[in-house]
Amino acid sequence: MYRICSLYLLLVFSFLLSTDSFGQTIKLSGIVRDKQSDEQIPFASVKFKQSGRGMLTDSAGKFTIQLKNQIVNDTLEVFSVGYKVLSVPITTIKDSVFLTFTLEVLAPTNEAVVKVKYNRALWFWRKIMSNKNKTDKKFWDNYSYEIYNKLELDINNIKREKLSKNFLIKPLNFVFNYIDSNSESKPFLPVYLSETLSDYYFQKNPEKIYERIKATKANGVENESFIKEMGGTFQNINVMDNFIPVFNKEMISPFNTNADFYYKFKLADTAYLNGKRLVHLFFSGKRKGESTFDGDCWVNDTSFALQRITLRPSADVNINFIEGLTLLQEYRQINDTTWFLYKDRFVADIAPIAKGKLGFKGRKTTTYNNVVVNNPATPVQLEKNIRNIQVDLLPNTENFTDSFWLSRRHEPLNKNEQTVYKVLDTLKKNPTYLLYKDIIEIAAKGTRDFGNIRLGPYFYWISGNYWEGARFRFDAATNKGFSKKWNFSGYLAYGTKDGLFKGKAQAKYLLNKDPWTFLAFSYKSDIDNRQFYYDQLGNDNIFATVFRRMEIPFKFQQIKETKLEFFKETGSGYIIELAAIDKQYKALMNLPGEELYKTTRATPTDLTNPFHSFETVVKLRYAFQERYLEENFNRRSLGSKQPIVELKYTKGWAGVFNSNNNYDKIDITISHKLSVAPYGKLYWNLFAGKVYGTVPYQFLDILPGNELYYYNKYAFNLMNQFEFLADNYAGFNIEHNIGNGLFRFIPLTRKLMFRQFWSVKGVIGSLSDANKKLNFIGNYPYKSLDDRMYLEVGTGIDNILKFFRLDLVWRLSDHPTGNAVVNKFGVFGSFRFTF
């Protein structure tokens, strides 16, 4: 009986279990993402083709389908407007499962445009435009928020099988274990991640901005100016502006005042979020080659405020190295009528070699929290600013613990982002990785730090010219590991033909970093290379040796210069430079020598060097909200929103340190680089100067010429060096980079991504009779313009093979000197890296 009862209970229990299993609910959950940006796709359709069961994803792209029975031999279709349909065959689903689906954007089609009397999509766009104040933060008098910035860099398009066999990569094969090949069809390796947390304050009138970076996690990046640039002040995109910056291009916004001229609009579906009805609006560029976006947005149907927008460059947009790009913004309601930006995400696939080859994926995510608008406390905070736009990096921002970041991040790190820290912790201890990292840095920067000493740049090591023969140069400087205040730098050079050593030594003391203030003393004895701008190709490098126009006679002179300089920056855009300079020149080849001047000057200083001067310089510079990128003890300008004005006064003192020249010089220049979108960018420069006094040619104004085949933006390229002298001059320099311009109308040139430009440069000058009498002696190569205009015009093709530019230049005025070689037409080349 006991055995019979036990068997009966077992049968009953088994039956209950089988009944429960038979009625068990299976959950099919998952998330739908964009293939390129990895962002969630809201309100996408997820449905079984045969059974018809399915649902729409929520606003975060997630879904959960409750299944009463097993699914056998069906097809799951995932679909969203503007994307390709993804069909996933399902053999059987027995248990609950979580899936991730990635959808690919549909390629643009040349669909016919049907003209109708009433275009509801265009009407809807106009309603958005008339309600811009519901979304555009520029309409607020002031606002503040906390910013969380996250920047990730991955290596994508990795072919593990091929790379693992490469002898250079073999020592790093262990990193392939970190490759994530699940969430995307193409595997990638996360290599870099930086995070910043800051407080941000904005005031519209007068415009003031203050950002206080209070925490950073930069993974070895110690450049403070770079960290500031990657904060929330300068990487701030407003889709409601007329133009949206994408790398160095100004793209036409779908909410541009004239967007209906550039865009087609189309209404799609509707959805509900928190009880509010959202309308799905699509937009795409009307014409190929224009700087427009394809994308969509979800808009509230009563307030016409943006809730979410996705932007992708239209087909044939002229941007280099970009395989895919997505800009996404999400908004949240902060009161009954206003939506404010909550999340800003920028994802770019960069292919420097070719599409589909090894490249990079950059992801930048910015979130905004604790938003407060029109707060009386915000102007009070901004009154403390030293400058109108100010970014402060607080001390010890990199010393926060992991627990701090876990509690203060606006959103947790995903799996890929967590992998970055694991990879970097491992790689930082790997000698092969550190070697490769150093090689890449040397190739990019030209310098290499060894402890507290920096060596390079390497492109100065070997060059050559007619006077020196082969020239060898060695540069060294201290870095901030040696001292935060003191910087010592210099170089030593030797020419095999003249058999002489040359060089320069400088000591700089940084009095203040913000505002930038320093005191410097230097001594230089070398060939005068006449390089005036940081991006101008001088004569003291291997490239100048290769690109020299050999038909032009060589001209050489030596300079010995001792200089004491004081530099002071103010918080309002003004810069003051004071300098005392002792200069001595010596003509070496094809220039009048000092012995000729001794015979023409009956003065008590006949036995001293007539090419010797002692001068004091006062220079004033104004640049509104100019930004800089700092490197060691040097800064490079990133430009200003308004024209930059420079005024320089130079006084030469005869009799001081045996100087022989007394003169006064005034120089003024006004320059600006501005966007004229959608018609590209325009650079213009106006300059003028005057010399009071009778002095040798070195202390007059030698109009800038170019004797290289390499194009010089700042010089007259068909003018020889030392061709024209002036003691009174005025001129202009204009260059307009149009973009693809007319090339976009030709299929071949549009595909080759050619870009168009034009330039015009002119100068008018004169030379007094006294200065002519003093300087027109011996084998002089120069002459005066005599109040006539020198004019050059140019055009050509830019972005050839994405790196090269070809300039065709015409000289429209011709005043050659004696037997001087003068070309009325020239072809010049140059190269650079730009998007």
Side-chain angles (χ1 to χ4, degrees):
M1 181 64 67
Y2 174 77
R3 290 179 178 178
I4 294 174
C5 290
S6 298
L7 181 61
Y8 174 78
L9 289 174
L10 180 61
L11 290 172
V12 172
F13 185 66
S14 299
F15 174 78
L16 291 174
L17 281 177
S18 63
T19 304
D20 185 65
S21 298
F22 186 79
Q24 181 182 1
T25 300
I26 300 173
K27 290 184 179 180
L28 174 62
S29 304
I31 188 168
V32 181
R33 295 182 180 272
D34 181 285
K35 181 179 179 181
Q36 191 271 330
S37 68
D38 205 35
E39 272 296 310
Q40 302 97 325
I41 301 177
F43 314 121
S45 171
V46 182
K47 186 175 70 171
F48 286 97
K49 187 175 182 179
Q50 293 182 14
S51 67
R53 284 174 290 183
M55 65 178 298
L56 295 178
T57 62
D58 60 17
S59 61
K62 297 179 179 180
F63 66 91
T64 299
I65 302 175
Q66 306 280 352
L67 302 173
K68 293 292 185 180
N69 300 313
Q70 297 181 11
I71 296 295
V72 180
N73 296 326
D74 205 339
T75 300
L76 186 65
E77 291 186 335
V78 185
F79 170 76
S80 182
V81 180
Y83 289 88
K84 295 179 180 179
V85 177
L86 177 65
S87 298
V88 182
I90 302 294
T91 304
T92 179
I93 298 180
K94 297 181 178 180
D95 302 307
S96 297
V97 64
F98 185 92
L99 300 173
T100 298
F101 300 108
T102 57
L103 300 186
E104 187 175 351
V105 177
L106 274 171
T109 57
N110 296 321
E111 59 182 11
V113 178
V114 180
K115 293 185 178 181
V116 294
K117 291 183 178 179
Y118 178 69
N119 187 331
R120 181 167 175 78
L122 193 57
W123 170 86
F124 196 80
W125 170 80
R126 288 172 178 153
K127 295 296 289 183
I128 297 173
M129 296 296 291
S130 62
N131 288 271
K132 265 191 174 185
N133 60 310
K134 305 290 177 60
T135 307
D136 193 348
K137 57 187 179 183
K138 291 199 304 292
F139 285 90
W140 295 101
D141 292 332
N142 67 69
Y143 51 81
S144 64
Y145 43 69
E146 183 183 66
I147 305 176
Y148 170 67
N149 248 319
K150 180 169 54 182
L151 177 64
E152 182 184 346
L153 182 66
D154 309 319
I155 299 177
N156 62 2
N157 295 327
I158 293 176
K159 298 179 181 178
R160 178 172 182 169
E161 296 78 12
K162 184 176 180 179
L163 287 178
S164 61
K165 298 176 183 178
N166 188 306
F167 75 96
L168 294 175
I169 304 297
K170 274 188 177 181
L172 301 176
N173 272 353
F174 67 91
V175 301
F176 291 118
N177 298 326
Y178 293 100
I179 289 179
D180 181 356
S181 57
N182 297 318
S183 62
E184 297 190 17
S185 59
K186 297 180 181 179
F188 65 93
L189 175 66
V191 294
Y192 173 78
L193 177 67
S194 70
E195 301 175 84
T196 62
L197 190 68
S198 56
D199 295 323
Y200 183 89
Y201 303 87
F202 173 85
Q203 174 183 285
K204 182 167 65 175
N205 191 22
E207 185 183 50
K208 287 187 177 182
I209 296 174
Y210 177 61
E211 182 179 3
R212 179 173 55 236
I213 301 176
K214 53 190 181 182
T216 62
K217 201 169 186 178
N219 285 313
V221 176
E222 299 176 357
N223 190 308
E224 181 177 326
S225 61
F226 177 79
I227 294 174
K228 290 180 179 180
E229 282 293 321
M230 297 313 297
T233 299
F234 305 118
Q235 306 297 320
N236 204 340
I237 293 176
N238 187 351
V239 296
M240 286 297 175
D241 286 341
N242 281 336
F243 299 95
I244 298 173
V246 176
F247 294 106
N248 61 340
K249 292 189 70 69
E250 295 284 335
M251 304 282 288
I252 303 168
S253 169
F255 303 110
N256 183 292
T257 306
N258 301 311
D260 53 341
F261 176 76
Y262 298 100
Y263 283 93
K264 296 177 291 185
F265 296 96
K266 180 181 178 180
L267 286 175
D269 48 345
T270 60
Y272 285 86
L273 179 64
N274 298 329
K276 297 184 182 296
R277 186 168 179 259
L278 301 178
V279 177
H280 202 181
L281 177 68
F282 279 79
F283 45 84
S284 59
K286 285 185 176 180
R287 293 167 289 273
K288 288 185 176 181
E290 290 187 331
S291 298
T292 55
F293 293 100
D294 292 340
D296 65 291
C297 57
W298 291 91
V299 185
N300 187 279
D301 73 335
T302 53
S303 66
F304 299 97
L306 282 182
Q307 192 272 333
R308 176 188 172 104
I309 184 170
T310 303
L311 302 168
R312 303 178 190 90
S314 301
D316 293 321
V317 168
N318 197 311
I319 305 180
N320 289 333
F321 312 113
I322 299 301
E323 191 173 8
L325 187 147
T326 301
L327 172 63
L328 183 143
Q329 290 191 341
E330 295 182 20
Y331 297 79
R332 286 184 177 177
Q333 236 177 332
I334 59 172
N335 57 41
D336 292 338
T337 59
T338 304
W339 298 66
F340 203 93
L341 182 63
Y342 158 71
K343 185 176 183 180
D344 189 344
R345 184 166 169 84
F346 184 90
V347 182
D349 289 307
I350 303 171
I353 303 173
K355 288 187 176 182
K357 300 294 184 180
L358 195 68
F360 302 95
K361 180 184 281 286
R363 314 171 199 254
K364 183 179 183 298
T365 304
T366 305
T367 52
Y368 306 84
N369 212 351
N370 303 325
V371 178
V372 180
V373 297
N374 288 349
N375 185 0
T378 300
V380 176
Q381 172 64 47
L382 290 168
E383 283 298 321
K384 303 174 185 178
N385 278 20
I386 299 175
R387 50 174 58 86
N388 290 336
I389 297 180
Q390 182 171 329
V391 182
D392 288 342
L393 180 64
L394 298 184
N396 303 318
T397 57
E398 71 283 1
N399 295 334
F400 291 98
T401 62
D402 291 342
S403 60
F404 168 86
W405 286 102
L406 283 172
S407 62
R408 297 301 299 272
R409 287 188 185 103
H410 294 179
E411 57 183 25
L413 297 179
N414 60 33
K415 177 184 175 183
N416 300 329
E417 292 161 348
Q418 293 173 19
T419 302
V420 174
Y421 290 121
K422 297 178 183 177
V423 173
L424 290 177
D425 288 342
T426 306
L427 289 177
K428 286 176 183 178
K429 304 170 185 176
N430 186 283
T432 304
Y433 167 78
L434 296 176
L435 175 62
Y436 292 170
K437 178 175 176 287
D438 290 341
I439 292 174
I440 294 172
E441 287 185 357
I442 291 171
K445 296 165 55 177
T447 60
R448 170 74 165 95
D449 286 350
F450 293 89
N452 297 331
I453 303 298
R454 173 166 296 182
L455 302 182
Y458 64 84
F459 43 78
Y460 287 141
W461 286 353
I462 302 175
S463 61
N465 57 65
Y466 185 84
W467 183 262
E468 295 179 280
R471 175 183 167 104
F472 301 94
R473 171 171 159 173
F474 179 80
D475 292 68
T478 61
N479 56 34
K480 291 192 175 180
F482 174 82
S483 172
K484 301 290 186 183
K485 293 288 187 179
W486 283 102
N487 175 245
F488 300 96
S489 62
Y491 67 84
L492 184 67
Y494 178 78
T496 58
K497 187 174 179 180
D498 65 356
L500 296 176
F501 285 96
K502 302 96 180 172
K504 179 181 179 180
Q506 176 178 271
K508 178 187 287 188
Y509 183 74
L510 190 62
L511 296 165
N512 198 354
K513 191 172 183 179
D514 191 14
W516 192 261
T517 308
F518 68 82
L519 185 67
F521 177 80
S522 64
Y523 174 78
K524 175 182 177 180
S525 177
D526 202 350
I527 302 296
D528 185 19
N529 286 307
R530 306 193 62 76
Q531 183 177 359
F532 302 104
Y533 297 90
Y534 70 88
D535 55 352
Q536 174 184 337
L537 184 64
N539 296 319
D540 186 18
N541 60 72
I542 188 64
F543 302 108
T545 305
V546 174
F547 296 127
R548 180 81 168 53
R549 292 154 64 191
M550 300 306 297
E551 75 275 10
I552 301 175
F554 290 93
K555 294 171 282 290
F556 293 99
Q557 63 178 351
Q558 184 186 48
I559 181 174
K560 292 183 178 181
E561 179 185 89
T562 305
K563 182 177 181 181
L564 179 64
E565 177 186 9
F566 174 74
F567 182 100
K568 171 66 177 178
E569 180 186 45
T570 68
S572 55
Y574 289 96
I575 290 175
I576 302 171
E577 293 183 58
L578 304 175
I581 310 172
D582 184 82
K583 294 180 180 178
Q584 297 185 58
Y585 290 93
K586 181 181 180 181
L588 299 176
M589 184 177 182
N590 290 330
L591 292 171
E594 61 185 72
E595 66 281 354
L596 297 174
Y597 284 81
K598 290 179 180 179
T599 60
T600 57
R601 274 190 163 185
T603 66
T605 58
D606 283 348
L607 297 179
T608 61
N609 184 1
F611 298 160
H612 183 191
S613 79
F614 177 83
E615 57 187 36
T616 53
V617 180
V618 178
K619 182 178 177 181
L620 300 177
R621 186 174 191 271
Y622 177 73
F624 178 73
Q625 296 180 359
E626 186 173 22
R627 292 154 53 196
Y628 296 91
L629 191 61
E630 299 172 15
E631 175 60 25
N632 208 19
F633 284 80
N634 300 309
R635 300 194 308 176
R636 175 176 175 175
S637 174
L638 297 177
S640 169
K641 294 182 178 180
Q642 295 184 8
I644 298 174
V645 182
E646 292 185 1
L647 177 63
K648 180 180 177 183
Y649 171 69
T650 304
K651 170 63 179 176
W653 304 84
V656 179
F657 298 118
N658 295 320
S659 170
N660 289 308
N661 297 285
N662 190 64
Y663 55 91
D664 298 271
K665 293 178 69 173
I666 297 177
D667 298 279
I668 185 171
T669 178
I670 306 173
S671 62
H672 192 31
K673 296 178 182 178
L674 72 155
S675 171
V676 288
Y679 307 110
K681 294 184 179 180
L682 182 70
Y683 166 81
W684 59 265
N685 179 21
L686 303 177
F687 52 90
K690 186 172 180 60
V691 180
Y692 298 90
T694 304
V695 291
Y697 57 91
Q698 292 95 339
F699 310 113
L700 297 171
D701 287 297
I702 303 171
L703 301 185
N706 180 24
E707 297 182 353
L708 305 176
Y709 285 111
Y710 194 93
Y711 183 79
N712 188 331
K713 177 180 178 179
Y714 305 101
F716 297 97
N717 287 273
L718 290 175
M719 180 190 292
N720 298 337
Q721 290 187 4
F722 292 94
E723 185 175 349
F724 292 107
L725 284 185
D727 54 19
N728 190 18
Y729 71 95
F732 62 89
N733 182 353
I734 301 173
E735 180 173 302
H736 183 194
N737 292 279
I738 304 171
N740 50 3
L742 297 175
F743 291 132
R744 75 173 183 267
F745 298 109
I746 305 171
L748 177 61
T749 55
R750 185 172 64 238
K751 184 177 181 180
L752 293 173
M753 302 180 71
F754 285 172
R755 296 175 185 173
Q756 187 181 4
F757 65 90
W758 61 265
S759 64
V760 57
K761 304 175 184 179
V763 63
I764 186 171
S766 63
L767 192 65
S768 67
D769 291 337
N771 275 317
K772 286 182 180 180
K773 182 178 179 181
L774 177 65
N775 290 284
F776 289 2
I777 56 176
N779 59 335
Y780 70 94
Y782 38 72
K783 67 177 300 182
S784 170
L785 283 171
D786 292 328
D787 291 321
R788 290 173 293 186
M789 172 72 73
Y790 177 95
L791 190 65
E792 284 183 359
V793 296
T795 187
I797 303 174
D798 195 6
N799 207 44
I800 301 172
L801 301 176
K802 301 182 182 179
F803 287 101
F804 301 100
R805 163 169 157 162
L806 186 69
D807 282 78
L808 309 177
V809 182
W810 289 264
R811 177 169 170 164
L812 300 184
S813 57
D814 188 18
H815 306 293
T817 304
N819 297 323
V821 177
V822 172
N823 295 318
K824 294 185 178 180
F825 172 76
V827 180
F828 300 86
S830 57
F831 55 87
R832 78 284 175 275
F833 178 89
T834 181
F835 287 98

